């Protein structure tokens, strides 16, 4: 019981650190669906479906992943980066550098 | 027995139609690993890992998917498209149009 | 005079080798416009326009370039690759390998 | 007081608004080179160069453009977005939304 009342505040502290937590359930649901797409692709290859149809599904899955990434990045910037910016100092620059590197990886992948 | 002798030839015919079959096991193995990455991402969100670390894993997964897509496309062109080209006629143009559209979806996704 | 009658046939031979020639004028026109976009971007930086507006123009220019690339690739496959496929032999595999590598560069760039 | 009506302070204000100004000359130089690449591509099409070689140049030009975009975005976030964040209020959210939309366009283009 005590543990149960402690846990939420720990989660709240965490929520501050990780901006995506407000939509955690939504991300889990989308990633679950993406996992299902990966399984669906295995079924298509197993059943020797037509290549072009498999590629269409791969493109759909890539777009779904990209969309999750853009959402996470957006949440991260609205929370972590913004908080670091408000606090000021080196932390803000560090967070921005991290975000920039992550964006570069997304753009190039 | 009859069934056993029928099945292989049906599979052979299929192999002709779907060029990726030679590396079917390899594709299944890679897609299985991608499915595992999708599950790993759910674990990271569940455990409220740092956003940037999650994004790094998303980029790795996107690259793995892209690599499967490029492999499938390559196999498809080396088999289906090449066969249609050799046979000639409208079929060759149809196959090329399909491949071009799939490439455009990959480039833009 | 002889030179004048020789030139067209040389061009014809070239046309066979380079499938995009049928729409050469169209590609030149589109690349000219892309060159203009690059110049426009310099003007925007020179005039210190708002970053986000510059980025919007960069995205438009990237898409225009991508569209030229997809067109060239399509023309290349419908002509060079198809001809090599019809002729058969190693040349077909070489052309397909080249096309696959070019596609991978496009997808990853 | 006089200084306040003089151009330099207006420029300073501008510098604050447009974070890329510190490297303005560098961006101009890179965009000039990209313009040259667009001209080079026209020469290649005009001379009916081999498609695959043209595509290689298009990929190089796309990467150069992407690199300019990532630089501008980084500068924009380190300056405009950070300043808005420090100032706080709706402006910070507006700037972040703008940046997110620009990132999405880059990732999808």
């Amino acid at each position: 019981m005590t543990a149960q009342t402690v846990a939420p505040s720990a989660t709240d502290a965490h929520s501050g650190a990780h901006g995506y937590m407000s939509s955690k359930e939504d991300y889990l649901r989308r990633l679950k669906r993406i996992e299902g797409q990966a399984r669906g692709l295995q079924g298509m290859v197993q059943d020797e479906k037509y290549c072009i149809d498999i590629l269409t599904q791969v493109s759909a899955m890539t777009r779904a992943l990209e969309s999750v990434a853009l959402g996470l990045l957006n949440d991260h910037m609205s929370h972590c980066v913004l908080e670091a910016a408000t606090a000021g100092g080196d932390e803000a620059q560090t967070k921005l550098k991290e975000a920039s590197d992550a964006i570069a990886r997304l753009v190039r992948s």
Side-chain angles (χ1 to χ4, degrees), chain A residues 74-93:
Chain A
N74 190 29
D75 288 350
H76 177 66
M77 295 203 304
S78 314
H79 295 256
C80 297
V81 178
L82 212 58
E83 276 169 36
T86 312
D90 288 351
E91 185 66 5
Q93 290 301 332

Side-chain angles (χ1 to χ4, degrees), chain A residues 6-86:
Chain A
V6 168
S9 66
T11 305
D12 287 351
H14 234 132
S15 273
H18 300 303
Y20 62 87
M21 286 310 117
S22 54
S23 33
K24 188 171 165 175
E25 290 312 313
D26 181 51
Y27 284 121
L28 286 174
R29 195 172 42 74
R30 288 158 79 183
L31 287 168
K32 191 102 204 149
R33 203 187 308 142
I34 288 169
E35 185 196 337
Q37 288 177 294
R39 230 175 353 250
L41 283 169
Q42 291 168 65
M44 290 181 90
V45 168
Q46 188 63 62
D47 298 349
E48 308 190 5
K49 296 289 186 204
Y50 188 47
C51 257
I52 296 292
D53 294 333
I54 301 182
L55 286 171
T56 302
Q57 291 308 311
V58 172
S59 289
M61 188 177 159
T62 305
R63 270 195 305 278
L65 253 183
E66 227 169 57
S67 172
V68 165
L70 291 169
L72 284 170
L73 187 70
N74 190 29
D75 288 350
H76 177 66
M77 295 203 304
S78 314
H79 295 256
C80 297
V81 178
L82 212 58
E83 276 169 36
T86 312

